[in-house]
Structures are given as structure tokens and as C-alpha cells.
Amino acid sequence: MWDRLAESRWMTPHAFQYYCAVSGILSSVLFGLGFVVADFMPPIKPWWTAEQTAHHYQVHTNRVRVGASLIVLSGLFYMPFCAAISSQMRRVPNLHYVVQQLQLSAAAAGLWTFILPGILLATTSYRPERNVEITQALNDLFWICTLMPWPTFMVQNFCFSYAIIIDQRKKPLFPKELAIYNLIVPFFWSGSTGIQFSKYGAGAYNGGISFWMLGVSFCLQLIIDAIFLIRAIRSEPEGGEQIVDMFPNKTQKDVSE
């Protein structure tokens, strides 16, 4: 039975990579769904009093708890997706080892942008009857920890874009337009850098820049990258292929000359 299972099409290297690629879509969906379930769409108001903030958690206690679990689960699917990107980046000729490793390292750090907010949200909803000021402080910590740590994702995007740009083959692994998209999107997230300065307007944690622009562009990017990742996996030979020199000292143009 185990031999048949190991030899089935569901257990091939290609199949495993497809699972990892689809994980990016699942991560995006679960992350957004967590906010919907917790009744954070639209987000609660930063200018609410401690009593109003605590009231939300008291009325929607179980919804917030389920939402917290979904946000944590979204992190579970994020790592396989990033590992698949890292694996496909290795197929790019003359891509230095440090680029692929930096992308994967940033992904490991970015994982906590899913896990930590989920834990904080679960903690906030764990004792809704506590002192309202404590609930408000934990709520603020949840939103800031969710929206502010965007730099690790920018590092990932830039490494991925770099790998796409230097792929000078006639049939590159990823289209150059995807590199441009991954270079531009992180700047939509940078608006949350000053989230601690405002409780009103577009810069607050419920605002158009800090929440809506960041959240929509981030989740959409995961889906788009996952689709092109699936296409790249499909182009990989069934028996695998030789990995090009991981420590190149010359560009592809230099080698051709």
C-alpha cells in the first residue's frame, strides 16, 4: 500500500510543488477571511473609547476567537508558498545563492506577521471581561503588529523581482511584467510605517492607506504570484533539471562573450 501511495501521481515532486503554490492562495483567503469572521471588515475605529473597543470584543467574542485561529492558519500556508518560490528561483541561470536565501529568510521572518497578530487577537478575546483599558491596549497592539511589519515582504519581493529580471533566456521562467508588479506593490504597504501617529484619516489603522490599500494589494499579490508560480512549476521537466552555478562570478553576457 505504501509503495502504491509513494508512486501515485499525488506524491510526485511536481504534485508537491503544486500544493505549495496553491498554499499562497489559501494563505491569502484565510488571512482575509479571518478579518471578516472577526467582524473587522471594516476595522473597528482607532478613536473609540476603551469601553467601546472592549464592547466589540464582548459582543463578538467567539467570532474574534475564530478569526484569530484563521489568521494563524494563514501563516501555516504561507511558508510552503515561499519555499516553492525559492525552489523555482534556483532554476534561474546565474542567480547567486544569496538572493534565493535572502528571499527565504525574509519569508521566515514575515511568517510572524501572520502568527503573532493571530496570537495577540486570541489573547485579547480570551478574557473580554477584563479591565477595558487592557483590552484597548491589546487591540492597538494587534493592529499595529498586523499592519506595520511590511519591510520583510519588501525584501522578498525585491529578491523575487531581481531573479526575474536577470533571467535573460528566450523563454524566461517568469514574465518581466511580474517583476515590475512585485517591485511596485511594496510601496503600497509603506504607508503603514507611521500608523502610530494617527487615529483619524487614511493613515490610521482603519484608513485607506494603512489598511485597505495594504490589505487588498498584499492578498492580491499572493494570488497573482501563486498563479505564475504554478505555470513555472508546470514547465519544469518531470525528472528535474540541473541547477545552474549558484555562485556565479560573471553575468550571462560575460559568459556568452
Side-chain angles (χ1 to χ4, degrees):
M1 180 188 69
W2 291 110
D3 289 341
R4 289 197 302 271
L5 178 62
E7 295 172 0
S8 69
R9 63 191 182 95
W10 304 105
M11 298 289 285
T12 64
H14 265 71
F16 189 84
Q17 289 191 84
Y18 284 136
Y19 302 150
C20 291
V22 173
S23 291
I25 299 175
L26 292 175
S27 178
S28 175
V29 171
L30 287 173
F31 189 69
L33 188 60
F35 284 83
V36 173
V37 171
D39 200 22
F40 286 156
M41 287 289 195
I44 62 177
K45 308 301 186 290
W47 62 82
W48 276 1
T49 63
E51 288 76 13
Q52 289 175 303
T53 302
H55 180 71
H56 177 89
Y57 286 90
Q58 292 163 357
V59 172
H60 305 290
T61 301
N62 288 328
R63 289 188 59 174
V64 174
R65 288 170 177 171
V66 174
S69 297
L70 291 175
I71 292 173
V72 170
L73 283 175
S74 69
L76 166 69
F77 292 99
Y78 184 70
M79 278 306 297
F81 167 68
C82 295
I85 289 180
S86 178
S87 176
Q88 290 301 310
M89 286 172 62
R90 297 181 66 210
R91 298 175 60 196
V92 176
N94 297 309
L95 180 69
H96 199 283
Y97 182 75
V98 72
V99 182
Q100 176 250 337
Q101 285 296 292
L102 182 58
Q103 189 278 145
L104 195 57
S105 300
L111 172 65
W112 283 99
T113 304
F114 300 88
I115 303 297
L116 183 58
I119 293 173
L120 288 173
L121 191 58
T123 303
T124 309
S125 64
Y126 188 60
R127 299 183 192 275
E129 73 284 355
R130 70 166 70 85
N131 184 288
V132 293
E133 282 78 14
I134 297 177
T135 296
Q136 186 179 48
L138 288 172
N139 173 75
D140 291 342
L141 187 58
F142 160 73
W143 286 103
I144 292 174
C145 284
T146 301
L147 302 175
M148 199 172 184
W150 56 269
T152 55
F153 300 109
M154 174 178 272
V155 172
Q156 281 186 261
N157 279 36
F158 283 6
C159 289
F160 187 34
S161 297
Y162 176 83
I164 297 172
I165 291 170
I166 69 167
D167 190 353
Q168 301 175 25
R169 293 173 294 183
K170 291 182 179 179
K171 291 185 177 180
L173 198 57
F174 298 97
K176 295 296 186 288
E177 292 80 6
L178 188 62
I180 297 173
Y181 177 72
N182 276 271
L183 285 172
I184 293 175
V185 167
F187 293 100
F188 292 158
W189 310 334
S190 60
S192 66
T193 305
I195 193 174
Q196 71 275 23
F197 288 98
S198 177
K199 297 182 182 68
Y200 302 91
Y205 68 61
N206 70 326
I209 294 176
S210 295
F211 179 80
W212 292 105
M213 184 182 295
L214 186 155
V216 172
S217 62
F218 180 78
C219 291
L220 184 62
Q221 181 219 320
L222 286 180
I223 295 173
I224 292 175
D225 284 351
I227 292 172
F228 282 98
L229 181 59
I230 291 171
R231 292 178 55 184
I233 295 169
R234 188 178 297 124
S235 71
E236 184 175 325
E238 287 290 341
E241 61 186 9
Q242 183 178 2
I243 301 299
V244 184
D245 179 17
M246 299 297 289
F247 297 94
N249 294 317
K250 296 182 179 180
T251 65
Q252 190 168 345
K253 180 179 179 181
D254 295 331
V255 173
S256 63
E257 292 175 352

